[in-house]
Amino acid sequence: MKSTWNYKLLQFLNNKKEDEGFTLIELLVVIIIIGILSAIALPAFLNQANRARQSEATTYVGSLNRGQQAYRLENPAFAPKIAQLGLGIQTTTKFYTYGAGGDGWFESAETAPTGTAPTAVATHIPLVALIRAVPNDTALLGYGGLTYLLKDVGGSATTTAVICKGSLGAAPTPNVTGALTAGAAAQNCEAIN
């Protein structure tokens, strides 16, 4: 009789367990695990979203640099405006504004600058075209593109392009002209040909 009583008790407890839901401790453990996983995953996801937005700027600046190189092959000077390149690139998007000062114009200079921003010289052929990608959000990095003529000792000229990445802080776009004064790509700059 004792084994029958034990069997009936175990059967009763088993049936009672099937009718119940989760205990409070089980629910708390699941909520804590979900919280830990989301705390790890959310910053990584937000960082990827900013990288995707910044890839727009590098793509646009690279396209503008290549457009300037192609324009310079067909014309005696670099294009003064983005629209003249015929690339179909907007000067203002949701995340960036493109242009020398965000106005769709390129900065240009007669010769390679010496550490200062280039200024347009109306009577001479510009040898430098500078474009900026100014972020509309402070969480994004700024970018700068530079296309310039590079002359060798024999007098032959070729166009060269550089993309520079800015840093978060006071200056939204990098000092791209530093790439010229160093004679090569400066820190955070990548030459594209």
Side-chain angles (χ1 to χ4, degrees):
M1 177 152 149
K2 189 171 185 181
S3 64
T4 308
W5 186 79
N6 285 340
Y7 173 74
K8 289 199 178 219
L9 178 63
L10 289 175
Q11 189 178 20
F12 173 75
L13 292 175
N14 192 22
N15 288 340
K16 186 177 179 188
K17 181 68 174 171
E18 289 176 4
D19 295 338
E20 293 179 9
F22 295 107
T23 65
L24 182 61
I25 293 177
E26 291 170 333
L27 290 174
L28 286 176
V29 167
V30 169
I31 290 173
I32 289 171
I33 290 172
I34 291 173
I36 290 171
L37 290 175
S38 65
I40 292 170
L42 187 62
F45 171 74
L46 293 177
N47 191 24
Q48 291 301 323
N50 282 342
R51 283 186 185 173
R53 292 175 183 141
Q54 289 170 183
S55 71
E56 171 202 311
T58 58
T59 302
Y60 275 29
V61 170
S63 295
L64 291 169
N65 280 347
R66 288 180 192 90
Q68 280 288 20
Q69 288 177 315
Y71 187 90
R72 182 65 175 90
L73 286 174
E74 299 175 1
N75 298 288
F78 289 113
K81 257 191 119 151
I82 292 175
Q84 288 180 314
L85 295 177
L87 298 174
I89 292 178
Q90 302 172 0
T91 57
T92 303
T93 63
K94 184 176 181 180
F95 302 108
Y96 283 92
T97 304
Y98 301 93
D103 51 9
W105 287 85
F106 288 94
E107 290 182 34
S108 59
E110 176 186 355
T111 58
T114 57
T116 59
T119 56
V121 178
T123 58
H124 296 83
I125 297 172
L127 301 176
V128 174
L130 171 67
I131 189 72
R132 298 180 194 278
V134 181
N136 297 334
D137 183 358
T138 57
L140 299 174
L141 298 176
Y143 291 86
L146 184 65
T147 309
Y148 58 96
L149 272 168
L150 188 61
K151 292 185 179 181
D152 63 8
V153 247
S156 298
T158 183
T159 57
T160 305
V162 175
I163 296 178
C164 298
K165 178 172 54 171
S167 58
L168 296 175
T173 56
N175 179 12
V176 196
T177 57
L180 276 180
T181 58
Q187 185 180 11
N188 294 332
C189 295
E190 178 182 335
I192 57 168
N193 291 322

